[in-house]
Amino acid sequence: MQRIIKFKEPIPTSGKGKRASHVYRIAAEIMCQKGYEGTSMNDIAEAAGLTKAGIYHYIRGKEDLLFEIMTYAMDNLDQRVIAPAREIADAEERLRKIVEGHTRRLLEGVGAITIVLEEMAALTAAHRRIIKARKRAYFDFIRQTLQQLESEGKLRNVNHTTAAFSLLGMILWISRWYRRDGKLSADQVMKDYVDIAMNGLLKYGSGSLR
Amino acid sequence: MQRIIKFKEPIPTSGKGKRASHVYRIAAEIMCQKGYEGTSMNDIAEAAGLTKAGIYHYIRGKEDLLFEIMTYAMDNLDQRVIAPAREIADAEERLRKIVEGHTRRLLEGVGAITIVLEEMAALTAAHRRIIKARKRAYFDFIRQTLQQLESEGKLRNVNHTTAAFSLLGMILWISRWYRRDGKLSADQVMKDYVDIAMNGLLKYGSGSLR
C-alpha cells in the first residue's frame, strides 16, 4: 500500500457529516500505508489538516475511529448495494445487481476503506461482534441468493458457500489492484466482472446473459 | 484474524531447514493476529518456544523475518505451481493447472503466510523490489496464459488484465475464509474453484470442461 489514493470523488454528505467522512477516508488510507498499529492519532490529524484537539472533536480514539470507518463502509454497502438488491425477487437479477453494485462501489470508492474492514483484531470485543454480524448478514444474503438459484437449477454444480466466497474474493480484491488513474475504466471492469461472475456461477452460456 | 491456525501438516524440510520454516509459520500467524507493527520479536520467540537469543540465531530482525517469510511463500509458489504449469504448452490445460495448484497450496498450506504477503509497506525498499518483481512475474504468467487463450478465441470477451486479477482475487481470498477443520474438504473446494474459474473466464460451456 504505497500509493496515496487521490480523492477525485466529491466528499459525500452522509449522516455523520462531510468533515467526519473526510477524516474516515484519510485515516483509512494512512492505516493501509502504515498498518493500524503503526498509525497514530497525530498522523491522522496531520493528514486531515486538523490539530490534535480538532481531531478529538470527531473521534474519541483510534479504535473508535476504526469502528466508525467500518460502520461507514457497512452503511454504504447497506444503502447502495444490499437495499436495492433486496427489492429484486428474481434471484438471477438480484445476483447481477449485487455484483454490479458492489463492484461499482469498490471501483468508484476509496479502496483503503474496504481494506481497513479486515482489521477485525484491532476492534474491542463489542465492536467486533457488531461488524462481524453485519459482514455475516451480507454474506448470508449472497449465499441465500445462490441457494435460490440452486433450487431453480440455475447454479452450477458447486457448493453455495464456496461459490459465495469465490465471488466475494474476486470483488473485494478490486480494492487492492484497481487504479482509477490507470488504463481500465470503471465501466469496463464492472462489465467484465459481471460476465466472469455470472458465467462462473450460473449454468447458462453467455447467450442468456446480458 | 482471531483464530489460531492449527499445524496439521508436517513441517516441511525446505532449503532453509525445518526449524526456520516452523518459525516462519508461527511468525506469520502472530503477524496476522496482531498486525506486523504490533508484533514483537519476543512474541514470536515465545510462540515458537525459543529464547530471545535463540530466535536471533534464525533471523536478524523483524523486517528480515518478514522478507524471509515472503521469500519462503514465493519459493513455494514457484516450485509447486509455476514450474509445473510452465511445462504445459496448451493454455487451457496450463490455466487449469495454475488454478488447481495455487488453490491446493492455499487450502493445504498456512493461510497466514499468504496474508502476510500483503505487508509490502513494512519491507525495506530493496526487499520490496525483490518481492514485487516475483509477484509481478506470477501475475504476468497468468496474464500471458489468458492472452494466449484470447488469441485462440477461447477467452470470454473480457480484458485479460481484469480477468487475471479477478482470478487471483478469488484464489487468494481462500486464506481468509477456508477452515481446514470446517465442513468443506480441500478436494471439494478445489474442484468448485476450477469449475467457477474456468467457466467464468473461458467461452466453453461446462460440457467441454472436466
Side-chain angles (χ1 to χ4, degrees), chain A residues 8-28:
Chain A
K8 285 178 184 170
E9 251 189 312
I11 296 164
T13 49
S14 77
K16 294 271 172 187
K18 265 190 182 183
R19 208 72 188 275
S21 72
H22 177 66
V23 172
Y24 296 163
R25 284 155 179 245
I26 287 176

Side-chain angles (χ1 to χ4, degrees), chain A residues 2 33 37 118 121 156-157 159 162 165-166 169-170 172-173 176-177 184 191-193 196 199-200 206, chain B residues 2 33 37 118 121 156-157 159 162 165-166 169-170 172-173 176-177 184 191-193 196 199-200 206:
Chain A
Q2 299 308 302
Q33 279 170 42
E37 288 294 334
E118 289 170 41
R156 287 191 186 282
N157 186 24
N159 179 279
T162 303
F165 278 120
S166 75
M170 68 176 268
L172 292 172
W173 202 250
R176 289 188 164 71
W177 70 267
L184 297 164
K191 183 208 131 297
D192 289 355
Y193 259 68
I196 295 168
N199 283 297
S206 56
Chain B
Q2 299 308 305
Q33 279 169 41
E37 288 295 334
E118 288 171 41
R156 285 193 188 280
N157 186 24
N159 179 280
T162 303
F165 279 120
S166 74
M170 69 176 266
L172 293 171
W173 202 250
R176 289 186 165 71
W177 71 266
L184 297 163
K191 183 210 129 298
D192 289 354
Y193 258 68
I196 294 168
N199 283 297
S206 57

Side-chain angles (χ1 to χ4, degrees), chain A:
Chain A
M1 296 299 116
Q2 299 308 302
R3 218 181 51 102
I4 298 275
I5 296 156
K6 305 291 189 308
F7 296 123
K8 285 178 184 170
E9 251 189 312
I11 296 164
T13 49
S14 77
K16 294 271 172 187
K18 265 190 182 183
R19 208 72 188 275
S21 72
H22 177 66
V23 172
Y24 296 163
R25 284 155 179 245
I26 287 176
E29 279 194 42
I30 299 172
M31 286 174 185
C32 276
Q33 279 170 42
K34 299 189 150 196
Y36 174 78
E37 288 294 334
T39 303
S40 71
M41 287 294 276
N42 250 344
D43 296 332
I44 296 164
E46 204 172 295
L50 292 166
T51 61
K52 196 152 181 177
I55 196 138
Y56 282 105
H57 176 71
Y58 297 102
I59 333 123
R60 267 168 297 176
K62 202 168 69 161
E63 188 279 333
D64 197 64
L65 174 59
L66 179 64
F67 177 65
E68 290 291 337
I69 296 171
M70 290 183 172
T71 300
Y72 171 75
M74 295 308 297
D75 284 351
N76 204 292
L77 190 72
D78 263 348
Q79 290 155 20
R80 310 285 198 99
V81 182
I82 302 175
R86 276 204 198 284
E87 302 292 310
I88 302 168
D90 181 74
E92 188 180 333
E93 275 306 313
R94 195 187 320 131
L95 181 66
R96 183 179 288 112
K97 193 81 174 181
I98 293 168
V99 179
E100 275 178 7
H102 198 172
T103 300
R104 183 170 290 287
R105 289 312 303 148
L106 295 185
L107 291 166
E108 294 178 349
V110 175
I113 288 181
T114 307
I115 294 168
V116 163
L117 265 175
E118 289 170 41
E119 292 280 0
M120 296 294 277
L123 293 176
T124 62
H127 282 167
R128 194 183 307 128
R129 264 195 303 277
I130 294 169
I131 299 297
K132 211 173 163 182
R134 295 188 72 175
K135 286 182 172 180
R136 187 79 207 175
Y138 180 51
F139 179 78
D140 286 343
F141 178 54
I142 293 177
R143 191 164 53 175
Q144 279 154 16
T145 299
L146 295 173
Q147 278 174 311
Q148 188 181 336
L149 285 160
E150 189 174 34
S151 71
E152 291 168 357
K154 292 180 179 174
L155 189 73
R156 287 191 186 282
N157 186 24
V158 292
N159 179 279
H160 46 250
T161 298
T162 303
F165 278 120
S166 75
L167 178 63
L168 262 179
M170 68 176 268
I171 293 175
L172 292 172
W173 202 250
I174 290 173
S175 303
R176 289 188 164 71
W177 70 267
Y178 184 68
R179 299 289 169 249
R180 273 186 281 169
D181 51 7
K183 285 181 200 164
L184 297 164
S185 74
D187 282 347
Q188 197 181 348
V189 174
M190 197 194 73
K191 183 208 131 297
D192 289 355
Y193 259 68
V194 172
D195 257 20
I196 295 168
M198 298 300 279
N199 283 297
L201 299 173
L202 303 186
K203 278 181 188 164
Y204 305 99
S206 56
S208 79
L209 293 169
R210 279 188 290 185

Side-chain angles (χ1 to χ4, degrees), chain B residues 44-204:
Chain B
I44 296 164
E46 203 173 295
L50 292 166
T51 61
K52 197 152 179 178
I55 197 140
Y56 282 105
H57 176 70
Y58 297 103
I59 334 124
R60 268 168 295 175
K62 202 169 68 162
E63 188 280 334
D64 198 64
L65 174 59
L66 180 64
F67 177 67
E68 290 291 337
I69 296 171
M70 289 183 174
T71 299
Y72 171 76
M74 295 308 298
D75 285 351
N76 205 291
L77 190 71
D78 263 349
Q79 291 156 20
R80 309 284 197 100
V81 182
I82 303 176
R86 276 205 199 285
E87 302 291 311
I88 302 167
D90 181 74
E92 188 180 331
E93 274 307 312
R94 196 189 319 133
L95 181 65
R96 181 179 289 112
K97 194 81 175 181
I98 294 168
V99 179
E100 275 177 7
H102 198 172
T103 300
R104 183 169 289 288
R105 290 312 303 148
L106 296 185
L107 291 165
E108 294 179 350
V110 176
I113 287 182
T114 307
I115 295 167
V116 162
L117 265 176
E118 288 171 41
E119 292 279 2
M120 297 294 278
L123 294 176
T124 62
H127 282 165
R128 194 182 308 128
R129 264 195 303 277
I130 294 169
I131 299 298
K132 211 174 162 181
R134 296 188 71 175
K135 286 181 173 181
R136 187 79 208 174
Y138 180 51
F139 179 78
D140 286 343
F141 178 55
I142 293 176
R143 190 164 55 174
Q144 281 154 17
T145 299
L146 295 173
Q147 279 174 310
Q148 187 180 338
L149 286 160
E150 188 174 34
S151 70
E152 292 168 356
K154 292 179 180 174
L155 189 72
R156 285 193 188 280
N157 186 24
V158 294
N159 179 280
H160 46 251
T161 299
T162 303
F165 279 120
S166 74
L167 178 63
L168 263 179
M170 69 176 266
I171 293 175
L172 293 171
W173 202 250
I174 290 172
S175 304
R176 289 186 165 71
W177 71 266
Y178 184 69
R179 299 289 169 248
R180 274 186 279 169
D181 49 8
K183 285 180 201 163
L184 297 163
S185 74
D187 282 346
Q188 197 181 350
V189 173
M190 197 194 71
K191 183 210 129 298
D192 289 354
Y193 258 68
V194 171
D195 256 21
I196 294 168
M198 297 300 277
N199 283 297
L201 298 173
L202 303 186
K203 278 181 188 164
Y204 306 98

